[in-house]
Amino acid sequence: EPEVTQTPSHQVTQMGQEVILRCVPISNHLYFYWYRQILGQKVEFLVSFYNNEISEKSEIFDDQFSVERPDGSNFTLKIRSTKLEDSAMYFCASRPRDRGYEQYFGPGTRLTVT
Amino acid sequence: RKEVEQDPGPFNVPEGATVAFNCTYSNSASQSFFWYRQDCRKEPKLLMSVYSSGNEDGRFTAQLNRASQYISLLIRDSKLSDSATYLCVVVHMDTGRRALTFGSGTRLQVQP
């Protein structure tokens, strides 16, 4: 069964550094998402991406964040200058066009900012 | 008021028990509803969509009450492997947002 994959599984970085989190969505899916989950808290929406552009973003997704689909398979989340409060699990998700709003999640990247 | 509200639990039940979780949502324009399951430090996994007429998938039954803005999940004959956090998830349609809005989850611990 096709799966969303994410790399790396764990990223440790120093405050102020840039990080890029990578995702490979399921191949025939057209909508892509990033969510985050701070330890002990609920899953929160960051951004959605369709047709090579951002379709929605939350209040969390400020100028420090950007997303890109550099080729036909990868979907990346960049955090320009990490803060301590960016420490969280970051999940990528994708959904097909024809299955309502069901989304399928990758295993996540644990980001630790020190 | 939280957009999606769930009892955090934990619900501690013996194997074989029937357990029910409830969830309320605040936005009456919510149109799609799901239950996801999340194991500790893992990704949310889709358990089932919730349809207006109610739906069943094996031991799992989901129901939706739009008038009360209430969703439920019933698990029959609980297994040890059902131990997880169950996330109630809605999609709002009024703001144009199609992203998933998650509740904080209800933790289930099934005991031998």
Side-chain angles (χ1 to χ4, degrees):
Chain A
E1 188 176 320
E3 293 179 333
V4 177
T5 60
Q6 289 186 245
T7 54
S9 56
H10 191 191
Q11 172 92 49
V12 181
T13 189
Q14 289 191 323
M15 201 165 51
Q17 296 296 303
E18 174 183 288
V19 294
I20 297 176
L21 310 183
R22 292 183 166 80
C23 168
V24 179
I26 295 172
S27 63
N28 63 344
H29 287 191
L30 299 179
Y31 298 85
F32 314 118
Y33 304 84
W34 284 101
Y35 293 83
R36 80 168 185 194
Q37 186 174 31
I38 295 170
L39 187 63
Q41 297 187 22
K42 65 179 181 178
V43 178
E44 300 175 290
F45 167 71
L46 293 178
V47 65
S48 61
F49 194 85
Y50 170 70
N51 202 25
N52 284 320
E53 60 183 24
I54 290 174
S55 47
E56 309 172 63
K57 58 184 180 179
S58 73
E59 311 72 40
I60 302 167
F61 194 87
D62 61 22
D63 292 345
Q64 292 299 311
F65 292 88
S66 62
V67 289
E68 198 176 32
R69 188 155 163 82
D71 53 43
S73 58
N74 290 284
F75 179 50
T76 62
L77 174 70
K78 184 194 290 187
I79 308 175
R80 260 180 272 283
S81 177
T82 50
K83 307 184 191 69
L84 293 175
E85 54 265 36
D86 293 328
S87 295
M89 278 290 280
Y90 287 81
F91 294 110
C92 174
S94 67
R95 74 171 171 94
R97 189 174 187 163
D98 55 354
R99 293 270 306 269
Y101 295 102
E102 296 177 358
Q103 294 179 22
Y104 298 86
F105 284 74
T109 293
R110 179 175 304 284
L111 177 65
T112 302
V113 182
T114 61
Chain B
R1 187 180 168 186
K2 291 181 186 174
E3 289 185 276
V4 181
E5 202 144 359
Q6 296 183 251
D7 180 344
F11 284 59
N12 294 303
V13 302
E15 267 186 293
T18 296
V19 61
F21 307 134
N22 302 321
C23 163
T24 56
Y25 58 94
S26 60
N27 189 331
S28 59
S30 300
Q31 288 292 332
S32 292
F33 309 91
F34 307 96
W35 284 101
Y36 277 74
R37 162 198 174 125
Q38 187 174 32
D39 292 291
C40 189
R41 296 181 179 249
K42 301 282 190 182
E43 75 272 25
K45 289 191 173 171
L46 179 65
L47 183 64
M48 57 197 302
S49 301
V50 186
Y51 302 118
S52 297
S53 53
N55 48 299
E56 191 173 303
D57 183 0
R59 298 181 293 108
F60 300 85
T61 301
Q63 298 212 308
L64 168 64
N65 183 323
R66 285 188 187 272
S68 303
Q69 294 180 204
Y70 169 98
I71 306 160
S72 66
L73 176 69
L74 183 79
I75 305 176
R76 288 181 299 278
D77 189 23
S78 301
K79 312 285 184 201
L80 294 175
S81 56
D82 293 334
S83 298
T85 296
Y86 289 82
L87 307 175
C88 178
V89 182
V90 306
V91 176
H92 305 316
M93 306 303 266
D94 56 345
T95 61
R97 170 172 289 192
R98 299 292 184 267
L100 305 180
T101 299
F102 284 80
S104 298
T106 298
R107 196 153 64 88
L108 172 66
Q109 184 66 48
V110 181
Q111 294 162 337

